[in-house]
Amino acid sequence: MAKKACIETFGCQMNVHDSERMAGLIEQAGYELTNDIGEADLVLINTCSVREKAEDKLFGRLGELGRGGRGRPLVAVTGCVAQQEGGRLLERSSHVDVVVGTQALRRLPLLVDRADATGESQVDVNPYDDVSFPLGIAVRSDPVKAYVTIIEGCNDFCAFCVVPYTRGHERMRPAGEILAEVGQAAAAGHREVHLLGQIVNHYQDPGDPQHDFAWLLRRVHEVPGVDRIRFASPHPRHVTPEMIAAMRDLPKVCRHLHLPLQSGSTRVLKNMRRRYSRETYLELVRQVREAIPNIALSTDIIVGFPGETDGDFEATMSLVESVGFHSMFSFKYSQRPNTLAAKRMPDTVPESEKTARLMALQARQKTIQERLHAGCVGESVEVLVDSRSRRQRDVEMFSGRTTQNTVVNFPGRPEWLGSMLKVRVERAGPYSLRGQVSGSA
Ligand code: SAH
Ligand code: SF4
Ligand code: F3S
């Protein structure tokens, strides 16, 4: 009987996609995938280290595994905490057998095999530079969306951020490889392509520096079978006029741009080493909206960065109000190992103050979203149906996203999954819309 492997994933879309790659690698090595951790002979935990809470999740899971009844499974820790901690993980938990860093993913089957055969733990956190990954191995977990990595790592070193230390320095994938993967995903029925990178719009084809992110969007747009293109995560300072023009000109590129702000105070942005100011960010928003009037903007914000005053926080609140983001991810600052802030900037804002600021920000954002969503009632929107959601009484509910990335829920049928439909919006809440399907788009 084939051995079974269970993968658990924390963190961003890059990690979700790395897990899809790991699933393919481990299947090739003869394992059968399972979602039931109780029956797994091998447990893979793909970790995130972006905030302390994310890192804590790994240790919570390791503790739970230790309490398992029957013979303990082989445990491999991969991802950002694996890269950051390396062999120290073996000292911190007796349940870990294999540690695979973010740049050593392809060696996972070999290391698992060795640990299994010898009973000795295996660690590989070497910074391999090669970013190629064989075509057709990843087991895509979503029938509609296909994640395609275009850049690995990051060279920006924002003062708060652990990513350059966990993902390594920036490495670009050759455009030919990216386009082949997009083509293959589209041929397999994935209608929405998500181009991934921690600083995705810094893309440059290693074979030709003229081939930048805007160029890549135009090439991906030509791939037959692709209906929608999204990307994550862009950095405001790398949004070029060419990128805005490509988004404007290409109908398959979704009318949504994530522009992580982090703070509305120029002083804090400077300390964060973000390399834009409140004023240049607002000017960028103006340019993007002028070129693409129906674009929806979303953002990430950190409250309580070292030295953030009431005045700095008010600057964030006023910027959020004046831009009117369609959605926001907001976080309390969390000190991370190796970062500039951890070395030089004491974590001065008290926890209670961080909490108060986060709640005030989220309340403001909720009001903004309610207002934006209320404006959609009565309209007809186009959605790509991407998932089945919770049943409501006897009605089967489905959900999809508009080009602006707004979630729309509606009664539907399983065969509609993956199709583009028109939905008349009947009700609006702060986090989603609700409506009835009125036809195909
Ligand atoms: N590459 C993206 C973001 C990567 S991390 C960018 O450049 O914007 C995703 C989000 O987590 C960040 O945008 C930031 O808002 C948040 N984040 C990162 N490090 C953090 C930290 N130390 N504490 C709190 N939030 C953090
Ligand atoms: Fe982190 Fe900054 Fe790089 Fe984004 S751009 S991954 S926030 S260092
Ligand atoms: Fe987390 Fe690593 Fe992604 S730290 S956010 S999993 S790049």
Side-chain angles (χ1 to χ4, degrees), residues 77 79 81-87 89 99-104 107 111 123-128:
V77 179
V81 182
Q83 186 68 42
Q84 175 187 302
E85 295 297 314
L89 279 177
V99 179
V100 189
T102 52
Q103 293 171 241
R107 291 176 45 84
L111 296 165
V123 178
D124 191 346
V125 290
N126 287 317
Y128 300 101

Side-chain angles (χ1 to χ4, degrees), residues 30 80 93 122 167 197 214 298 391 431:
C80 289
S93 166
Q122 306 288 322
R167 290 269 166 185
S298 60
R391 270 180 99 85
Y431 306 109

Side-chain angles (χ1 to χ4, degrees), residues 2-14:
K3 287 189 177 180
K4 295 197 169 158
C6 179
I7 306 181
E8 227 181 311
T9 311
F10 300 108
C12 62
Q13 288 150 310
M14 299 278 280

Side-chain angles (χ1 to χ4, degrees), residues 50-51 158 160-163 197-199 233-236 258 260 262 274 300-302 329 331-336:
V50 76
R51 284 167 293 276
C158 300
F160 52 81
C161 184
V162 80
V163 170
Q198 281 299 342
I199 186 148
S233 195
H235 190 297
H258 186 61
Q262 314 302 358
R274 288 291 288 181
D300 291 348
I301 287 177
I302 297 175
F329 297 96
F331 313 98
K332 292 192 253 187
Y333 170 70
S334 164
Q335 194 174 71
R336 304 310 297 134

Side-chain angles (χ1 to χ4, degrees), residues 180-435:
E181 192 175 333
V182 170
Q184 196 229 21
H190 301 276
R191 300 183 70 176
E192 189 170 284
V193 168
H194 289 230
L195 304 175
L196 298 183
Q198 281 299 342
I199 186 148
V200 75
N201 55 335
H202 199 217
Y203 183 75
Q204 212 173 51
D205 183 1
D208 185 344
Q210 300 295 313
H211 294 170
D212 61 3
F213 184 66
W215 173 89
L216 186 68
L217 283 178
R218 291 182 187 275
R219 295 290 84 74
V220 172
H221 199 267
E222 291 164 358
V223 176
V226 173
D227 290 326
R228 276 183 169 183
I229 303 167
R230 298 190 190 273
F231 49 86
S233 195
H235 190 297
R237 83 184 184 98
H238 296 300
V239 178
T240 60
E242 292 76 21
M243 174 179 156
I244 298 175
M247 291 187 74
R248 179 198 61 205
D249 297 345
L250 304 172
K252 295 176 186 174
V253 176
C254 288
R255 268 38 199 152
H256 169 225
L257 182 60
H258 186 61
L259 278 183
L261 168 66
Q262 314 302 358
S263 168
S265 153
T266 296
R267 198 182 67 84
V268 173
L269 288 169
K270 206 164 178 167
N271 291 338
M272 287 177 162
R273 307 291 192 273
R274 288 291 288 181
R275 291 179 271 189
Y276 53 82
S277 65
R278 175 186 180 88
E279 290 70 31
T280 53
Y281 185 94
L282 283 168
E283 172 56 18
L284 177 62
V285 167
R286 195 195 61 72
Q287 286 172 13
V288 170
R289 285 185 164 155
E290 186 177 74
I292 315 162
N294 62 342
I295 195 134
L297 300 174
S298 60
T299 201
D300 291 348
I301 287 177
I302 297 175
V303 299
F305 184 76
E308 185 188 71
T309 62
D310 286 343
D312 292 320
F313 177 63
E314 274 315 312
T316 298
M317 290 286 268
S318 71
L319 198 154
V320 163
E321 183 66 51
S322 70
V323 173
F325 293 104
H326 271 68
S327 70
M328 171 193 290
F329 297 96
S330 48
F331 313 98
K332 292 192 253 187
Y333 170 70
S334 164
Q335 194 174 71
R336 304 310 297 134
N338 306 314
T339 58
L340 183 70
K343 284 185 201 137
R344 296 223 209 118
M345 306 173 195
D347 191 1
T348 49
V349 181
E351 187 61 23
S352 57
E353 184 59 37
K354 286 181 186 167
T355 305
R357 288 180 188 172
L358 189 70
M359 286 174 70
L361 178 65
Q362 290 180 345
R364 175 77 53 99
Q365 178 60 22
K366 191 173 172 212
T367 313
I368 293 169
Q369 285 177 205
E370 270 164 353
R371 197 166 65 216
L372 288 169
H373 286 174
C376 299
V377 175
E379 277 185 13
S380 174
V381 294
E382 225 174 84
V383 303
L384 177 57
V385 188
D386 59 23
S387 54
R388 197 187 280 243
S389 49
R390 223 181 309 151
R391 270 180 99 85
Q392 288 184 355
R393 292 189 197 89
D394 286 339
V395 187
E396 279 231 66
M397 293 298 290
F398 287 78
S399 92
R401 284 174 189 264
T402 66
T403 180
Q404 297 180 317
N405 211 31
T406 304
V407 174
V408 186
N409 299 305
F410 45 86
R413 297 197 211 122
E415 60 269 27
W416 290 352
L417 274 170
S419 43
M420 200 84 85
L421 299 176
K422 276 212 161 65
V423 177
R424 195 167 21 80
V425 179
E426 293 173 337
R427 272 193 278 142
Y431 306 109
S432 63
L433 304 174
R434 172 162 180 153

Side-chain angles (χ1 to χ4, degrees), residues 7 9 12-25 46 78-80 102-103 105 108 133 138 147 149 152 167 196:
I7 306 181
T9 311
C12 62
Q13 288 150 310
M14 299 278 280
N15 252 23
V16 172
H17 184 49
D18 279 351
S19 287
E20 295 178 338
R21 288 175 161 186
M22 280 162 35
L25 290 169
N46 195 7
T78 63
C80 289
T102 52
Q103 293 171 241
L105 203 67
L108 173 74
F133 194 83
Y147 293 129
T149 301
E152 306 256 10
R167 290 269 166 185
L196 298 183

